[in-house]
Amino acid sequence: MTNQSSCVEIACDESGFSGTNLLDPSSPVITHASVDLAVPEAADVIAVLQSRLRTRSEYKSHHLLRPEQRPALEWFLTTLRGRAHVHVIDKTAYVAARVLDLFTEEPSYGAGTSLARDHSDAVLALRRRTGFLAAFVDLTRTKRVRRIDHDAIDRFVATMPTDLPALREVTRARIEEVMIRLIDEDPAVPPPLEPLVPALAETLLFWSAGARSVAVVHDEQSALTRGRVARLGTFLADAVSPAPPPLRSFLQVDSRDDPRVQVADLLAGIARRHMPEPDDLLAPYLQARADGKSARCD
């Protein structure tokens, strides 16, 4: 990374967010895109795309994915090179990992991120157990729930694989203990069915790169409450110390009012529709760190 600023400002949006309906096979991934463009730069990008489409309406990713718009797509992805990043979450794998994060260790805001314990082998085995994963989603969907649903626990336990060593320590008592904390909205327990929380964490870790803090402008998302974002920021600061805290500030905006978020929305939509096999134009956004000119914080 060539930019030495102690802070970078990014704008973010997602594609594929489906609330707690995480096992819908028609929407297998969620993509979280971020760009470090300044407002005038992003406005210029949107203006060029609108001129190519010959419209003043909001330009969406499906427009760019039409065969006749391939030149515009190539221009867009080439223009953003080094100024953008996309984090991709496989929703089924996410649910499988949350089972292990929640019931086999102390829940934390590192769950679902590269800072968490590696459960990849167990996740690979669990992602095929769709009945078990569906039971987990039903169990942990606790919004407006005020008491333990013992029937939901029964279904979860009944479908739990008995041949997976990672689950051998998951007892009914442990499940009930965690569920009480979820129902009581224990602030130390991150929401298990909100993949945007770890997606934001990974985005912050990417842009901070252990060397600077990040100011975030984000499309409005109910999952990213003020309390959750604050707790995530505290967790990340502790995790990377003595490096600068990854999160400097967080502001939610209406995407219609910020061209930077509109650009992030386009990139997120394009990436989601190219999964699981991104082409050569998109692949750099999923791998390399941004290394170009950055929009600095004030």
Side-chain angles (χ1 to χ4, degrees):
M1 180 171 295
T2 59
N3 186 285
Q4 300 301 315
S5 173
S6 61
C7 182
V8 60
E9 183 172 62
I10 62 170
C12 307
D13 204 353
E14 55 72 33
S15 181
F17 180 65
S18 55
T20 59
N21 185 22
L22 295 171
L23 300 176
D24 180 359
S26 67
S27 180
V29 302
I30 182 170
T31 52
H32 188 257
S34 49
V35 301
D36 74 345
L37 302 175
V39 171
E41 291 176 304
D44 287 345
V45 170
I46 296 298
V48 169
L49 293 178
Q50 288 177 329
S51 68
R52 291 188 177 221
L53 190 65
R54 297 179 182 177
T55 180
R56 293 184 178 274
S57 62
E58 188 175 4
Y59 204 104
K60 304 299 288 185
S61 60
H62 68 269
H63 294 131
L64 275 174
L65 293 173
R66 294 171 180 169
E68 67 273 16
Q69 290 295 324
R70 180 68 185 186
L73 174 64
E74 293 179 353
W75 174 86
F76 177 73
L77 292 177
T78 301
T79 298
L80 292 185
R81 187 70 57 84
R83 307 293 303 277
H85 176 66
V86 180
H87 180 67
V88 182
I89 289 181
D90 177 309
K91 294 180 185 177
T92 301
Y94 171 84
V95 173
R98 293 298 72 72
V99 174
L100 300 161
D101 291 329
L102 202 61
F103 294 135
T104 69
E105 55 191 80
E106 176 61 25
S108 84
Y109 271 79
T113 76
S114 55
L115 299 174
R117 180 180 172 187
D118 183 8
H119 292 298
S120 54
D121 290 341
V123 166
L124 186 62
L126 278 177
R127 63 175 298 127
R128 298 187 295 270
R129 311 294 181 98
T130 54
F132 174 62
L133 298 182
F136 173 77
V137 171
D138 288 342
L139 174 66
T140 54
R141 192 183 283 118
T142 58
K143 189 174 182 179
R144 290 187 291 274
V145 173
R146 293 293 174 263
R147 63 181 62 183
I148 289 181
D149 185 340
H150 291 284
D151 290 339
I153 294 179
D154 289 342
R155 291 190 294 272
F156 177 71
V157 172
T159 57
M160 186 184 303
T162 59
D163 58 345
L164 193 64
L167 295 176
R168 286 175 182 167
E169 296 181 6
V170 180
T171 64
R172 188 181 186 92
R174 169 63 178 170
I175 296 168
E176 291 182 354
E177 174 193 344
V178 173
M179 291 309 303
I180 289 172
R181 294 176 68 183
L182 279 174
I183 292 169
D184 289 345
E185 299 182 351
D186 182 343
V189 182
L193 303 181
E194 298 287 10
L196 280 181
V197 177
L200 175 60
E202 286 298 308
T203 298
L204 289 166
L205 291 170
F206 172 84
W207 286 101
S208 62
R212 60 184 182 179
S213 296
V214 184
V216 178
V217 177
H218 204 292
D219 184 37
E220 294 174 335
Q221 287 289 342
S222 60
L224 299 175
T225 65
R226 181 178 300 180
R228 289 171 183 169
V229 172
R231 287 186 284 274
L232 176 63
T234 298
F235 173 85
L236 293 176
D238 291 341
V240 305
S241 180
L247 179 62
R248 173 173 174 171
S249 62
F250 184 84
L251 175 67
Q252 296 201 63
V253 300
D254 188 324
S255 63
R256 294 170 296 183
D257 299 329
D258 196 310
R260 299 170 299 174
V261 177
Q262 293 168 25
V263 172
D265 174 58
L266 286 171
L267 181 58
I270 292 166
R272 181 174 66 86
R273 289 170 172 82
H274 273 74
M275 292 295 115
E277 297 181 359
D279 61 20
D280 291 341
L281 280 172
L282 185 61
Y285 296 96
L286 311 175
Q287 299 168 357
R289 288 196 182 279
D291 57 4
K293 175 183 174 185
S294 294
R296 301 187 181 192
C297 300
D298 294 331

